[in-house]
Amino acid sequence: MRVLCAFPEAMPSSNSRPPACLAPVAFFLALLLHLSLSSQVGDRRPLPVDRAPGLKEKTLILLDVSTKNPVRTVNENFLSLQLDPSIIHDGWLDFLSSKRLVTLARGLSPAFLRFGGKRTDFLQFQNLRNPAKSRGGPGPDYYLKNYEDDIVRSDVALDKQKGCKIAQHPDVMLELQREKAAQMHLVLLKEQFSNTYSNLILTARSLDKLYNFADCSGLHLIFALNALRRNPNNSWNSSSALSLLKYSASKKYNISWELGNEPNNYRTMHGRAVNGSQLGKDYIQLKSLLQPIRIYSRASLYGPNIGRPRKNVIALLDGFMKVAGSTVDAVTWQHCYIDGRVVKVMDFLKTRLLDTLSDQIRKIQKVVNTYTPGKKIWLEGVVTTSAGGTNNLSDSYAAGFLWLNTLGMLANQGIDVVIRHSFFDHGYNHLVDQNFNPLPDYWLSLLYKRLIGPKVLAVHVAGLQRKPRPGRVIRDKLRIYAHCTNHRNHNYVRGSITLFIINLHRSRKKIKLAGTLRDKLVHQYLLQPYGQEGLKSKRPVFKSWLPDLQAG
C-alpha cells in the first residue's frame, strides 16, 4: 500500500513497534458511548464492538481511508494555546515559572502561544520593574512584596542551555495565590458582564516572565497589542506599542504580533467603533513599525481576530481585507459554542451544536478568498462556553466531544491553526486547573499532539443495516477523522495512519476496516470518564490496546 504519510509516534513502548511492511492504524477512540458508557475500566475488548444487548438491529460500519493524496495539510503547530491578559490581574502570570506548568506546556509543543483576549485592548506597557513592591500594608498584593526576590532565590535551571528560569513555589504561596485569584475571578466576571474593563499594566519584568514561559515550553509567542489607544482622528496611537517593541527587541525576543482583539466589539466596550478600513490602515502602520527593527523586520503579523461572523462582522472583515489583506500572514477569528449561563451537560453531545462551526468557516473563507485566495485562516480563541465557562461542565469529560470534533472539523475544512482558549487561566475553559492539574481536554490535546500529523486524509464510510432504509445516514452522530500519523512519533513507522472516532449514538457501533485498511495491524487508544461522575468527571481513564489483532 502506498501511503503519502511521513509519520511516527504515539504512546506504545518501543518494543511494540510494528514491522515496516505493516503500516499500522492507530485508533484514537475518544469518548465512546455518551449515554450508556458501558465500557468499564477493566474492559479490554478491542473494536469491532457489538451493539448493546437487547437491540435487535445490528449496524455495521465499513470504514476505508484514501491514502493516495492528502486532502489538506495543516500547520505543524495546528493545535496551539492561548493565555488571557487577565493573568496579570489575578496574579497567575507570576507563577508561569512553575516547573509543573512548563512541563505540561512542553507536552503540547510545538505550538503557538497567543497572549491575548478581552483585556488585550486595555493593556499598557510600562518599563517598570515591579509596581507591587512599592505597595505596603495589608491588601491583595501584600504577600507579593518580596515575591520576585523569592523567585530569584528559588529558580532552578530546567534547561541550562536555554537559560530557563523555573521555580519551585512554596505551597503557602500557591494557597495565597489561589485565594487572591478566587476574589479576582468575581471582579473579572463582573467586568465581563458589564462590558467595563479596567486598564492593565504590563511591566518589563512581567513580559520577561511571559517570554520565559513560552520559550522554555517550546512555544512561539504571539503578542496581541492594544488597538484601542486612539488619536483624536481615530487612527491608532502606537506610542505604547513602540515602547514594547523596542524593549522586546533589546532582549532579542522572537515574537510574532497582532493588533487588538474582537474589534467588532469596540463600540460596546469603549464607545468608539473602528471600521474595517481603519483597522486595515492600523495594521499597515504596525507593519511599518516592525520593518526598521532588525529582529522584527520579517516577523509574522496576524489579524484581525474578529468575533462570530455575523453581518456587521463580515462587513468589518471585508473592509479590512480590502485594505490590509496582503499585510497579514494569516486571517484570524474567534468562536464560542455555548452561552455559559445556560449550558447543560447534554449540550456538548448535540450534533446541531457541533456543526455550528462549519457555517462560520465557510463565511470567513468566502471573504478571504475574494481578496487573497489561498491565504491561511486561523481560528483563535476557541472556547466551548462563554463567560469563563461553567464549573463541572466546560472543564469536564463531556466538553471533550466538542473539542475533539472541533479539531477534526477544522483540519478537514482547511483551517491552518486552532488556538485553544485557554491553557491556564481563570474560569473553566482551560486545559490545566489552578492546582496545576491537567483536565480531560488536556489529555485529549496531548494524545492528539502525539498521534495526529498535519496531513489530512479522506474517510469513506458505508453504513449497512439488516433492514436498509433509503436516506438513512448514521455518520452525523459518528464522527470519523483520519490523518497521517505524526512524523515526530518514533513508535510508528513511516506510512502509518491515525483515525479518531467520536460516537454520539446511544449504542455501540461495529466498525470493520475495509479496502486499503483491511488486514492492517491496529493499535487502539480509549479515553473514558473516571469514577461515578460519568460525563462530569474531571479525570479521564486512558487505555491503550496494542493487540496482535489484524483488523478486517
Side-chain angles (χ1 to χ4, degrees), residues 7-21:
F7 301 21
E9 175 186 7
M11 293 189 189
S13 59
S14 57
N15 58 10
S16 67
R17 180 180 296 197
C21 60

Side-chain angles (χ1 to χ4, degrees), residues 128-195:
L128 302 175
R129 187 170 185 276
N130 183 11
K133 279 181 174 286
S134 62
R135 303 188 185 112
D141 293 310
Y142 180 69
Y143 76 95
L144 287 174
K145 181 179 180 183
N146 297 311
Y147 171 75
E148 291 190 352
D149 293 334
D150 293 338
I151 290 300
V152 170
R153 286 194 292 269
S154 64
D155 277 348
V156 295
L158 187 65
D159 185 340
K160 292 182 178 179
Q161 290 183 343
K162 295 186 71 172
C164 293
K165 293 182 178 179
I166 309 299
Q168 301 282 10
H169 301 96
D171 290 341
V172 63
M173 188 176 284
L174 288 170
E175 289 175 12
L176 287 167
Q177 169 56 27
R178 279 191 284 268
E179 290 176 10
K180 176 190 175 184
Q183 296 172 5
M184 288 305 303
H185 178 58
L186 299 176
V187 175
L188 294 169
L189 281 178
K190 184 178 179 180
E191 286 187 354
Q192 189 161 330
F193 285 126
S194 64
N195 264 322

Side-chain angles (χ1 to χ4, degrees), residues 168-367:
Q168 301 282 10
H169 301 96
D171 290 341
V172 63
M173 188 176 284
L174 288 170
E175 289 175 12
L176 287 167
Q177 169 56 27
R178 279 191 284 268
E179 290 176 10
K180 176 190 175 184
Q183 296 172 5
M184 288 305 303
H185 178 58
L186 299 176
V187 175
L188 294 169
L189 281 178
K190 184 178 179 180
E191 286 187 354
Q192 189 161 330
F193 285 126
S194 64
N195 264 322
T196 55
Y197 296 92
S198 55
N199 289 329
L200 288 177
I201 302 298
L202 177 72
T203 66
R205 185 66 180 268
S206 294
L207 181 59
D208 294 341
K209 292 174 183 176
L210 175 64
Y211 189 81
N212 177 75
F213 171 74
D215 193 43
C216 294
S217 303
L219 309 175
H220 177 76
L221 182 62
I222 301 173
F223 194 101
L225 298 164
N226 184 341
L228 267 181
R229 287 175 61 90
R230 316 300 295 183
N231 296 315
N233 65 354
N234 209 29
S235 62
W236 178 49
N237 185 326
S238 60
S239 56
S240 178
L242 184 58
S243 176
L244 190 153
L245 289 172
K246 288 180 177 178
Y247 176 78
S248 57
S250 72
K251 304 285 282 189
K252 294 183 169 56
Y253 289 160
N254 181 20
I255 302 177
S256 295
W257 304 95
E258 287 186 343
L259 182 58
N261 185 80
E262 288 194 275
N264 47 288
N265 286 336
Y266 285 172
R267 182 181 293 279
T268 304
M269 296 170 62
H270 197 262
R272 173 179 283 184
V274 178
N275 62 34
S277 176
Q278 179 59 57
L279 189 64
K281 294 174 184 176
D282 299 337
Y283 263 79
I284 292 172
Q285 182 182 348
L286 174 56
K287 190 77 170 180
S288 69
L289 289 180
L290 294 172
Q291 286 176 343
I293 303 174
R294 180 178 298 180
I295 192 173
Y296 299 132
S297 61
R298 297 185 180 180
S300 294
L301 185 59
Y302 305 107
N305 199 256
I306 55 172
R308 185 176 180 179
R310 297 184 175 93
K311 186 176 180 180
N312 65 315
V313 181
I314 288 295
L316 188 149
L317 178 61
D318 188 90
F320 174 84
M321 293 301 298
K322 191 180 300 182
V323 174
S326 60
T327 302
V328 293
D329 294 272
V331 176
T332 61
W333 100 102
Q334 297 188 21
H335 175 70
C336 179
Y337 279 101
I338 310 174
D339 184 340
R341 290 166 287 187
V342 296
V343 69
K344 303 184 296 294
V345 68
M346 297 306 294
D347 287 339
F348 294 109
L349 312 174
K350 293 178 179 177
T351 56
R352 178 169 49 86
L353 178 68
L354 268 61
D355 291 338
T356 57
L357 181 59
S358 185
D359 183 54
Q360 292 193 24
I361 294 171
R362 287 191 293 269
K363 289 179 180 179
I364 298 292
Q365 287 175 332
K366 182 178 179 181
V367 177

